[in-house]
């Protein structure tokens, strides 16, 4: 039965944080205040008057920008979900980095072991070519 290498503590910790389930979203939250310019509306005459806030989730799906409008009451929940998604991406990037560091260490150990094995009884000089690489006529 093969012996599994010890999993580095950082990799285990990041993995434990990644598997914690929670609602999350990709994209960003956009909040807008708009002018309708209808006659008689305060926004038509007052430059500071606007309607809103109008809150939306904006993300790109299949190369197209898609918006999902939510109520002002749902905005804080939407923001928490987007922040959870951003934290998840940071954790995935950190996990990749930790696994690559682990893989590099494993590769370095393998290289050190093979160079040590190559020293035992190896020839001191490289072999010479017996014939020229050019064709003989």
């Amino acid at each position: 039965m093969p012996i599994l290498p010890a999993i580095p503590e950082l990799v285990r910790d990041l993995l434990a944080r990644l598997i914690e389930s929670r609602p999350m979203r990709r994209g960003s939250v956009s909040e807008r205040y708009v002018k309708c310019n209808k006659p008689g509306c305060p926004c038509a005459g007052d430059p500071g008057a606007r309607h809103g806030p109008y809150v939306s989730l904006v993300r790109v799906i299949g190369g197209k920008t898609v918006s999902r409008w939510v109520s002002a009451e749902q905005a804080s929940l939407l923001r928490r979900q987007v922040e959870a998604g951003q934290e998840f991406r940071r954790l995935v990037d950190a996990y990749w980095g930790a696994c690559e560091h682990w893989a590099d260490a494993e590769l370095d150990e393998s290289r050190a072991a093979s160079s040590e094995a190559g020293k035992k009884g190896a020839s001191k000089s490289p072999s010479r070519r017996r014939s020229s690489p050019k064709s003989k006529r």
Side-chain angles (χ1 to χ4, degrees):
M1 185 168 179
I3 298 172
L4 297 174
I7 299 172
E9 187 175 345
L10 178 60
V11 172
R12 277 186 308 205
D13 292 345
L14 288 168
L15 184 58
R17 290 179 63 195
L18 278 170
I19 62 173
E20 293 173 2
S21 297
R22 60 194 175 274
M24 64 182 86
R25 296 183 179 277
R26 290 179 276 188
S28 61
V29 178
S30 176
E31 190 173 288
R32 299 178 189 138
Y33 292 85
V34 296
K35 293 176 81 169
C36 71
N37 291 325
K38 289 182 182 176
C41 183
C43 73
D46 182 6
R50 301 251 196 263
H51 297 281
Y54 295 105
V55 181
S56 66
L57 170 69
V58 181
R59 63 179 284 211
V60 176
I61 300 175
K64 295 183 179 184
T65 302
V66 178
S67 295
R68 177 178 177 178
W69 297 95
V70 299
S71 68
E73 296 80 30
Q74 294 174 316
S76 62
L77 177 61
L78 183 64
R79 283 187 181 89
R80 283 196 306 271
Q81 292 173 347
V82 169
E83 287 170 6
Q86 291 169 346
E87 175 64 16
F88 181 78
R89 280 189 184 236
R90 284 190 291 273
L91 286 171
V92 167
D93 288 343
Y95 183 75
W96 267 110
C99 286
E100 287 175 341
H101 182 72
W102 180 20
D104 287 343
E106 187 177 55
L107 193 61
D108 292 344
E109 285 176 15
S110 172
R111 186 180 313 148
S114 66
S115 69
E116 192 62 35
K119 290 180 182 178
K120 297 177 184 174
S123 166
K124 302 248 188 280
S125 60
S127 61
R128 291 186 326 176
R129 213 175 252 250
R130 301 229 183 258
S131 63
S132 166
K134 296 179 182 177
S135 64
K136 296 178 184 178
R137 290 189 187 194

